[in-house]
């Protein structure tokens, strides 16, 4: 689906009328000496066409029925991953921050609930530059929320969103995203560390290019001995259509065909190896596994 200006406006504004009390939706796993938790940044409020627009309604309806998805807005969780290892406190993405959707931007409260102050965060690692992943780096005063952190991002993702021509060429439906990303990246410019696909960005943490949702989208494999977990970001962005029919184009992806190819490869590997995964918008805190189900897959939440 090609996003319209109206759809982006719905994404950015629909949550204003849907704010609810925070629910931290915590999940936790141990990976050797590493502790991984998911913290709730709240949830998004999206019109169904943001995900499903452009799909064949007759083919889509049985899937919607199977997952109990009605005609109202979609409200996916926003799960920010926190890694603690040898004195490092690492966030994978920074949440939505203030001013995006009232139902999101709850990460500071989640951190407080587990006893982590913003200045305790040593690293913030970005999967990509969409608002619900990047905009939380700034607080209400547009100052860095995590003043002691190093910021890490893939070189291709940085180059794409920092380019001033991106806002003019990305299309009207995504221009606000590009402008918002650039403004926050200007604050990060002197502190960001850029890396390439395959780099070990921290001990036991390797970057993995997963393009399509954005041009330089990255996932991250966290490994300890023979155990590993893959932090997916939005490479697999929902628990319904993208698992059951991973080849179907999803409207929220910037390059739907490339994103579908990435999804198919990831889900095949995850299911074959039974590697644990963490999805930014998957239910139950986002931690689980992928299992084969018919011609597609299903998400199984839990450790």
């Amino acid at each position: 689906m090609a996003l319209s200006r109206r759809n982006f406006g719905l994404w950015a504004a629909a949550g204003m009328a849907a704010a609810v009390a925070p629910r931290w939706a915590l999940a936790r796993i141990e990976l050797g000496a590493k502790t991984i938790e998911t913290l709730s940044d709240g949830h998004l409020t999206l019109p169904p066409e943001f995900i499903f627009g452009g799909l064949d309604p007759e083919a889509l309806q049985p899937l919607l029925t199977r997952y109990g998805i009605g005609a109202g807005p979609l409200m996916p969780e926003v799960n920010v991953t926190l890694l603690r290892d040898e004195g490092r406190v690492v966030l994978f993405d920074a949440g939505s921050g203030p001013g995006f959707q009232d139902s999101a931007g709850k990460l500071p409260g989640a951190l407080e609930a587990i006893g982590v102050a913003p200045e305790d965060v040593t690293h913030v690692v970005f999967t990509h530059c969409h608002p619900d992943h990047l905009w939380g780096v700034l607080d209400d005063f547009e100052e860095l929320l995590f003043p002691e952190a190093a910021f890490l991002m893939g070189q291709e993702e940085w180059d794409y969103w920092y380019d001033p021509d991106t806002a003019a060429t990305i299309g009207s439906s995504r221009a606000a995203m590009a402008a918002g990303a650039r403004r926050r990246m200007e604050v990060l410019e002197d502190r960001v560390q850029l890396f390439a696909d395959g780099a070990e960005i921290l001990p036991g943490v390797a970057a993995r290019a997963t393009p399509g949702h954005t041009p330089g989208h990255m996932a991250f494999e966290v490994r300890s001995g023979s155990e590993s977990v893959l932090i997916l970001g939005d490479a697999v962005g929902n628990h319904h259509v993208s698992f059951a029919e991973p080849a179907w184009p999803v409207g929220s992806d910037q390059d739907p065909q490339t994103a579908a190819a990435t999804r198919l490869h990831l889900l095949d590997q995850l299911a074959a190896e039974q590697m644990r995964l963490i999805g930014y918008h998957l239910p139950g805190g986002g931690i689980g596994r992928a299992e084969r189900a018919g011609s597609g897959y299903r998400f199984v939440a839990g450790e």
Side-chain angles (χ1 to χ4, degrees):
M1 153 182 151
L3 291 178
S4 68
R5 185 184 299 274
R6 173 178 176 272
N7 286 336
F8 180 77
L10 283 169
W11 182 20
M16 302 300 181
V20 296
R23 183 176 66 87
W24 305 131
L26 303 181
R28 176 187 177 107
I29 57 176
E30 304 292 334
L31 196 70
K34 297 176 171 64
T35 299
I36 299 174
E37 300 166 88
T38 57
L39 308 179
S40 178
D41 190 51
H43 69 270
L44 300 182
T45 305
L46 307 174
E49 61 265 28
F50 187 78
I51 302 295
F52 304 131
L55 296 177
D56 178 359
E58 291 188 7
L60 177 64
Q61 188 55 55
L63 189 149
L64 298 181
T65 300
R66 186 194 318 168
Y67 286 93
I69 299 172
L74 304 175
M75 296 186 181
E77 294 181 10
V78 180
N79 305 306
V80 177
T81 299
L82 178 77
L83 166 67
R84 296 194 238 204
D85 180 40
E86 297 183 352
R88 288 179 290 273
V89 179
V90 184
L91 286 174
F92 291 86
D93 293 321
S96 304
F100 179 54
Q101 288 195 357
D102 282 356
S103 60
K106 313 301 183 185
L107 179 61
L111 289 167
E112 182 179 5
I114 65 166
V116 174
E119 55 269 23
D120 295 335
V121 175
T122 60
H123 301 79
V124 181
V125 180
F126 297 101
T127 62
H128 65 295
C129 289
H130 279 171
D132 52 323
H133 297 255
L134 172 65
W135 289 17
V137 295
L138 301 185
D139 62 17
D140 290 329
F141 301 98
E142 298 205 339
E143 297 179 351
L144 285 174
L145 179 61
F146 306 108
E148 303 301 320
F151 299 92
L152 293 80
M153 186 182 296
Q155 179 80 57
E156 185 174 355
E157 186 75 356
W158 177 273
D159 290 346
Y160 178 77
W161 294 99
Y162 197 75
D163 184 345
D165 290 337
T166 295
T169 59
I170 196 173
S172 60
S173 64
R174 297 178 185 266
M177 287 188 197
R182 169 67 190 243
R183 183 159 60 83
R184 288 157 178 83
M185 294 166 82
E186 287 173 347
V187 179
L188 298 179
E189 184 175 13
D190 292 337
R191 304 181 59 161
V192 72
Q193 301 172 20
L194 303 176
F195 55 84
D197 179 29
E200 185 176 25
I201 61 169
L202 293 167
V205 181
R208 180 168 175 181
T210 47
H213 185 67
T214 62
H217 188 285
M218 286 281 184
F220 300 94
E221 183 175 349
V222 182
R223 180 170 290 277
S224 179
S226 62
E227 292 187 286
S228 62
V229 60
L230 190 64
I231 300 171
L232 289 170
D234 284 357
V236 186
N238 60 74
H239 70 289
H240 35 78
V241 64
S242 289
F243 275 83
E245 298 288 350
W248 286 6
V250 173
S252 57
D253 293 329
Q254 188 166 335
D255 182 342
Q257 299 306 320
T258 297
T262 293
R263 265 196 308 279
L264 284 162
H265 182 70
L266 285 173
L267 289 171
D268 181 67
Q269 178 192 3
L270 289 164
E273 298 180 8
Q274 277 300 284
M275 184 190 300
R276 283 176 290 189
L277 61 88
I278 302 175
Y280 203 70
H281 297 301
L282 301 183
I287 296 176
R289 300 180 191 269
E291 290 186 353
R292 297 189 187 279
S295 61
Y297 303 84
R298 64 175 178 170
F299 173 63
V300 181
E303 299 182 12

